[in-house]
Structure formats: C-alpha cells, structure tokens
Amino acid sequence: MIDFLVLIAVSVVIAATPMLFAAVGELVVERSGVLNLGVEGMMLIGAVVGFGVTMTTGSAVLGIGSAALAGAALALVFAVLVLTLMANQVATGLALTIFGIGLSALIGAGFVGMPIAGLPKLAVPGVSDLPVVGPLLFQYDAMVYLSVALTLAVGWFLKRTHAGMVLRAVGESAESAHSIGHPVIGVRYLATLFGGAMAGLGGAFLSLSVTPMWAENMTSGRGWIALALVVFGSWRPGRVLLGAYVFGGVTILQLHAQGSGGLGFGLPGQVFTMLPYLATIAVLTIISAGPWRGRFQAPACLGQPFRPSV
C-alpha cells in the first residue's frame, strides 16, 4: 500500500509540472498588468519545437532551450500586437491559441507517432534507493526540480527585489509607475517574454518527459487550467505551486477512475475525462462567489491597455 501511495504521489508531481511551468509564467505576466490567454498555443509550440530539436540533434538540452525560445517568440508576437499596436488583449490571446494549435500541427506533421527516449532521471547515490523517501523526492528528471526552483525564484523576485516591486507597481497602477520614471511598456514586454518561455518549457516537459513523443493537441487543455491556477493561487507563486499539485491529483484521479471502470460507479469514461475541467470550473465559481472573494483580487491594471503620455 505504501509503495502504491508513493507511486500515486510521484504521478501527481509529474502531472502537475507542465501546468506549474505555464502558470508561474502567466502569473508574472498578469502581475505586470497583461492578460495573455494564449498559454495553450505557446505550450503546444514549445512541445513540438522541443521534441523536434531533441529528435534531430539528439540533445535534450538543446530541445528544452529551443522550446523556451519558441514560446518566447510566440509571446513576442502577442506583445507587439497588444503593447505596441494596442490590440485587444483578450481577442489577441485567443487568436494566439488558435494560431499555436495550427502552427504546431503543421510543424509536427512529420513527427507524429515517433517516440524518443524520455528525459533521464536524476538519481542521487545512496539516497535515491531509500524506501519511500528515495522515489518520492529523488527520482525525477531535471525539469521537475527546475519547475519548483523557478517557482521559488519568482516568489523571491516579486517580493524581495526592486525589479519585482517595479513589476508589481506596473500591474497595480501603470500611470503612477510611469509618472515616477519606470518603463511600463519595457517591463511588460519582459514579463510577457518570460511567460512565453515558461509556457514553452511546460510544453517541452509534456513531449520530452510525460509522453516522450509528439501528438497534435497533446496539451489537452492544460494551458487553460494554468490560467485558472493563477486565479486559484491569487497571483502568489506559493499558492500556485499548491494548486498545481491539487489539479495534478485530480488529473491522476481521472486516469485511475478510467482504468478501474469508473471507481465502481459504472459511469462512462468521458465523465471522468472531464474531471480536471469540472474541478477548474468549480474552483473558479467558489472563488468568485464565496465569502473570501476579496482575498482574490487581481492586479488593478490587469488587461488594461497603456500608452505613455507625451
């Protein structure tokens, strides 16, 4: 039973990691006052580019780096449209997702169904073989540890550094930040590029570790769940980390429910496939209607366009 529970916990961590990458990146974007709904598209681009580069070069490091650059490149397109050309952020983000879905299918047409070796696990001599603790903490690949490290780094950056305080100020009152000399548009460009790179890393983890192969639409809505995680975590990295593992647990529950014939309820498998998304809707509904609604206030300038006054 203990081994089974450890296996479940490991599966939850792996399922949560791609959503954690994307959600932490989107958190930084939204704290700067920009709403990018194109996370799903950027994850797909990261997944196909990371897989393609890894397969053709044999280097997972190059694949991961290329995935981050691909996600940032797509985010740059979004940034130019909404920050320089003042396009509507919601409509542009939705268009970015549709564009990413189509472009990833085009790029990955020649890679469909071609498996590769997954990312190697990082074993710690003398520790990884310990019962319970070893497989639970020390038998993941590098990207799992990277996701947690980046989450902690973002939390430290936002709370403890001057640049982080400037970013938060830009998200709360762009006019005030601009009036005291902070480059609002520049800060938002950098935040948007970081969010795109993180979404690309989340996609690369899917195609290089979770299921080391490429398939169209392999994110299966994880980008949308990542967007919900930012709200669930009330724009705080620590809570987003917790939320990612909660939703990872729901994903694993769905898989086990399908494998066990509906947990004895005899329900169709499609019902359990909907579990992660039903949980997302339920959480957002509770947050928006519950007595603690005031604790989940978004950055004041989120989604609002800004043009520096001359």
mmCIF file of all heavy atoms in Angstrom, residues 34-37 78 80-83 85-96 303-305:
data_model
loop_
_atom_site.group_PDB
_atom_site.id
_atom_site.type_symbol
_atom_site.label_atom_id
_atom_site.label_comp_id
_atom_site.label_asym_id
_atom_site.label_seq_id
_atom_site.Cartn_x
_atom_site.Cartn_y
_atom_site.Cartn_z
ATOM 1 N N VAL A 34 -0.718 42.503 -17.798
ATOM 2 C CA VAL A 34 -1.044 41.982 -19.125
ATOM 3 C C VAL A 34 -1.775 40.657 -18.971
ATOM 4 O O VAL A 34 -1.362 39.796 -18.182
ATOM 5 C CB VAL A 34 0.235 41.778 -19.973
ATOM 6 C CG1 VAL A 34 -0.112 41.182 -21.339
ATOM 7 C CG2 VAL A 34 0.962 43.100 -20.153
ATOM 8 N N LEU A 35 -2.852 40.476 -19.729
ATOM 9 C CA LEU A 35 -3.612 39.227 -19.718
ATOM 10 C C LEU A 35 -3.360 38.503 -21.033
ATOM 11 O O LEU A 35 -3.813 38.940 -22.087
ATOM 12 C CB LEU A 35 -5.106 39.504 -19.552
ATOM 13 C CG LEU A 35 -6.036 38.286 -19.575
ATOM 14 C CD1 LEU A 35 -5.713 37.350 -18.413
ATOM 15 C CD2 LEU A 35 -7.497 38.727 -19.517
ATOM 16 N N ASN A 36 -2.620 37.398 -20.968
ATOM 17 C CA ASN A 36 -2.299 36.615 -22.163
ATOM 18 C C ASN A 36 -3.047 35.290 -22.099
ATOM 19 O O ASN A 36 -2.687 34.395 -21.329
ATOM 20 C CB ASN A 36 -0.797 36.376 -22.255
ATOM 21 C CG ASN A 36 -0.399 35.674 -23.549
ATOM 22 O OD1 ASN A 36 -1.250 35.289 -24.347
ATOM 23 N ND2 ASN A 36 0.888 35.507 -23.766
ATOM 24 N N LEU A 37 -4.080 35.142 -22.910
ATOM 25 C CA LEU A 37 -4.854 33.904 -22.953
ATOM 26 C C LEU A 37 -4.304 32.902 -23.960
ATOM 27 O O LEU A 37 -4.945 31.894 -24.234
ATOM 28 C CB LEU A 37 -6.315 34.220 -23.298
ATOM 29 C CG LEU A 37 -7.068 35.134 -22.322
ATOM 30 C CD1 LEU A 37 -8.509 35.327 -22.787
ATOM 31 C CD2 LEU A 37 -7.032 34.577 -20.909
ATOM 32 N N PHE A 78 2.566 38.341 -29.576
ATOM 33 C CA PHE A 78 1.464 38.845 -28.757
ATOM 34 C C PHE A 78 1.801 40.215 -28.183
ATOM 35 O O PHE A 78 0.975 41.140 -28.198
ATOM 36 C CB PHE A 78 1.169 37.846 -27.637
ATOM 37 C CG PHE A 78 0.183 38.325 -26.616
ATOM 38 C CD1 PHE A 78 -1.178 38.200 -26.832
ATOM 39 C CD2 PHE A 78 0.620 38.895 -25.424
ATOM 40 C CE1 PHE A 78 -2.097 38.646 -25.889
ATOM 41 C CE2 PHE A 78 -0.286 39.337 -24.479
ATOM 42 C CZ PHE A 78 -1.646 39.213 -24.715
ATOM 43 N N VAL A 80 3.916 42.529 -29.225
ATOM 44 C CA VAL A 80 3.916 43.594 -30.240
ATOM 45 C C VAL A 80 2.489 44.036 -30.551
ATOM 46 O O VAL A 80 2.195 45.227 -30.664
ATOM 47 C CB VAL A 80 4.637 43.117 -31.517
ATOM 48 C CG1 VAL A 80 4.442 44.118 -32.650
ATOM 49 C CG2 VAL A 80 6.127 42.918 -31.244
ATOM 50 N N LEU A 81 1.592 43.077 -30.656
ATOM 51 C CA LEU A 81 0.212 43.393 -31.012
ATOM 52 C C LEU A 81 -0.503 44.169 -29.910
ATOM 53 O O LEU A 81 -1.209 45.143 -30.177
ATOM 54 C CB LEU A 81 -0.553 42.110 -31.334
ATOM 55 C CG LEU A 81 -0.151 41.390 -32.625
ATOM 56 C CD1 LEU A 81 -0.858 40.047 -32.724
ATOM 57 C CD2 LEU A 81 -0.475 42.252 -33.837
ATOM 58 N N VAL A 82 -0.318 43.744 -28.651
ATOM 59 C CA VAL A 82 -1.111 44.355 -27.575
ATOM 60 C C VAL A 82 -0.405 45.527 -26.902
ATOM 61 O O VAL A 82 -1.066 46.444 -26.395
ATOM 62 C CB VAL A 82 -1.518 43.303 -26.517
ATOM 63 C CG1 VAL A 82 -2.279 42.160 -27.157
ATOM 64 C CG2 VAL A 82 -0.315 42.790 -25.757
ATOM 65 N N LEU A 83 0.934 45.528 -26.873
ATOM 66 C CA LEU A 83 1.646 46.595 -26.173
ATOM 67 C C LEU A 83 2.065 47.729 -27.098
ATOM 68 O O LEU A 83 2.085 48.890 -26.678
ATOM 69 C CB LEU A 83 2.883 46.021 -25.466
ATOM 70 C CG LEU A 83 2.607 44.960 -24.400
ATOM 71 C CD1 LEU A 83 3.908 44.445 -23.810
ATOM 72 C CD2 LEU A 83 1.706 45.514 -23.302
ATOM 73 N N LEU A 85 0.900 47.901 -30.699
ATOM 74 C CA LEU A 85 -0.202 48.234 -31.600
ATOM 75 C C LEU A 85 -1.534 48.387 -30.873
ATOM 76 O O LEU A 85 -2.546 48.678 -31.513
ATOM 77 C CB LEU A 85 -0.314 47.170 -32.690
ATOM 78 C CG LEU A 85 0.955 46.962 -33.536
ATOM 79 C CD1 LEU A 85 0.735 45.876 -34.574
ATOM 80 C CD2 LEU A 85 1.374 48.266 -34.194
ATOM 81 N N MET A 86 -1.536 48.146 -29.562
ATOM 82 C CA MET A 86 -2.721 48.380 -28.713
ATOM 83 C C MET A 86 -3.922 47.518 -29.111
ATOM 84 O O MET A 86 -5.067 47.936 -29.032
ATOM 85 C CB MET A 86 -3.123 49.854 -28.744
ATOM 86 C CG MET A 86 -2.027 50.811 -28.346
ATOM 87 S SD MET A 86 -1.531 50.629 -26.613
ATOM 88 C CE MET A 86 -2.966 51.301 -25.786
ATOM 89 N N ALA A 87 -3.675 46.293 -29.554
ATOM 90 C CA ALA A 87 -4.774 45.381 -29.864
ATOM 91 C C ALA A 87 -5.431 44.908 -28.571
ATOM 92 O O ALA A 87 -4.830 44.947 -27.491
ATOM 93 C CB ALA A 87 -4.260 44.183 -30.664
ATOM 94 N N ASN A 88 -6.665 44.449 -28.691
ATOM 95 C CA ASN A 88 -7.385 43.930 -27.525
ATOM 96 C C ASN A 88 -6.682 42.684 -26.995
ATOM 97 O O ASN A 88 -6.405 41.744 -27.743
ATOM 98 C CB ASN A 88 -8.828 43.604 -27.918
ATOM 99 C CG ASN A 88 -9.630 43.083 -26.748
ATOM 100 O OD1 ASN A 88 -9.615 41.897 -26.446
ATOM 101 N ND2 ASN A 88 -10.343 43.981 -26.090
ATOM 102 N N GLN A 89 -6.414 42.644 -25.694
ATOM 103 C CA GLN A 89 -5.628 41.557 -25.122
ATOM 104 C C GLN A 89 -6.370 40.231 -25.127
ATOM 105 O O GLN A 89 -5.785 39.175 -25.405
ATOM 106 C CB GLN A 89 -5.198 41.926 -23.697
ATOM 107 C CG GLN A 89 -4.231 43.089 -23.640
ATOM 108 C CD GLN A 89 -3.751 43.396 -22.241
ATOM 109 O OE1 GLN A 89 -3.890 42.584 -21.318
ATOM 110 N NE2 GLN A 89 -3.177 44.579 -22.054
ATOM 111 N N VAL A 90 -7.652 40.262 -24.835
ATOM 112 C CA VAL A 90 -8.425 39.021 -24.799
ATOM 113 C C VAL A 90 -8.528 38.406 -26.189
ATOM 114 O O VAL A 90 -8.243 37.212 -26.388
ATOM 115 C CB VAL A 90 -9.827 39.267 -24.215
ATOM 116 C CG1 VAL A 90 -10.692 38.016 -24.326
ATOM 117 C CG2 VAL A 90 -9.729 39.714 -22.761
ATOM 118 N N ALA A 91 -8.915 39.202 -27.169
ATOM 119 C CA ALA A 91 -9.065 38.694 -28.535
ATOM 120 C C ALA A 91 -7.728 38.225 -29.090
ATOM 121 O O ALA A 91 -7.640 37.177 -29.750
ATOM 122 C CB ALA A 91 -9.662 39.777 -29.428
ATOM 123 N N THR A 92 -6.655 38.959 -28.807
ATOM 124 C CA THR A 92 -5.337 38.586 -29.315
ATOM 125 C C THR A 92 -4.850 37.296 -28.663
ATOM 126 O O THR A 92 -4.241 36.440 -29.319
ATOM 127 C CB THR A 92 -4.333 39.720 -29.067
ATOM 128 O OG1 THR A 92 -4.823 40.930 -29.630
ATOM 129 C CG2 THR A 92 -2.987 39.397 -29.695
ATOM 130 N N GLY A 93 -5.110 37.133 -27.376
ATOM 131 C CA GLY A 93 -4.708 35.899 -26.705
ATOM 132 C C GLY A 93 -5.432 34.687 -27.255
ATOM 133 O O GLY A 93 -4.831 33.627 -27.462
ATOM 134 N N LEU A 94 -6.734 34.824 -27.498
ATOM 135 C CA LEU A 94 -7.487 33.718 -28.093
ATOM 136 C C LEU A 94 -6.970 33.398 -29.496
ATOM 137 O O LEU A 94 -6.838 32.228 -29.873
ATOM 138 C CB LEU A 94 -8.967 34.063 -28.139
ATOM 139 C CG LEU A 94 -9.660 34.205 -26.776
ATOM 140 C CD1 LEU A 94 -11.097 34.701 -26.960
ATOM 141 C CD2 LEU A 94 -9.643 32.893 -26.019
ATOM 142 N N ALA A 95 -6.668 34.439 -30.275
ATOM 143 C CA ALA A 95 -6.115 34.217 -31.613
ATOM 144 C C ALA A 95 -4.760 33.537 -31.536
ATOM 145 O O ALA A 95 -4.429 32.686 -32.383
ATOM 146 C CB ALA A 95 -5.998 35.553 -32.347
ATOM 147 N N LEU A 96 -3.971 33.879 -30.511
ATOM 148 C CA LEU A 96 -2.653 33.258 -30.346
ATOM 149 C C LEU A 96 -2.787 31.768 -30.074
ATOM 150 O O LEU A 96 -1.992 30.956 -30.580
ATOM 151 C CB LEU A 96 -1.913 33.943 -29.200
ATOM 152 C CG LEU A 96 -0.424 33.598 -29.052
ATOM 153 C CD1 LEU A 96 0.359 34.210 -30.194
ATOM 154 C CD2 LEU A 96 0.108 34.113 -27.715
ATOM 155 N N GLY A 303 -5.186 43.607 -17.861
ATOM 156 C CA GLY A 303 -5.944 43.676 -19.103
ATOM 157 C C GLY A 303 -6.186 45.070 -19.633
ATOM 158 O O GLY A 303 -6.772 45.231 -20.706
ATOM 159 N N GLN A 304 -5.736 46.083 -18.895
ATOM 160 C CA GLN A 304 -5.975 47.465 -19.341
ATOM 161 C C GLN A 304 -4.820 47.951 -20.218
ATOM 162 O O GLN A 304 -3.651 47.849 -19.830
ATOM 163 C CB GLN A 304 -6.116 48.391 -18.126
ATOM 164 C CG GLN A 304 -7.294 48.056 -17.232
ATOM 165 C CD GLN A 304 -7.388 48.981 -16.039
ATOM 166 O OE1 GLN A 304 -6.690 49.989 -15.954
ATOM 167 N NE2 GLN A 304 -8.259 48.648 -15.098
ATOM 168 N N PRO A 305 -5.111 48.488 -21.388
ATOM 169 C CA PRO A 305 -4.039 49.000 -22.263
ATOM 170 C C PRO A 305 -3.399 50.231 -21.670
ATOM 171 O O PRO A 305 -4.010 50.964 -20.888
ATOM 172 C CB PRO A 305 -4.775 49.327 -23.566
ATOM 173 C CG PRO A 305 -6.185 49.593 -23.146
ATOM 174 C CD PRO A 305 -6.452 48.679 -21.978
#
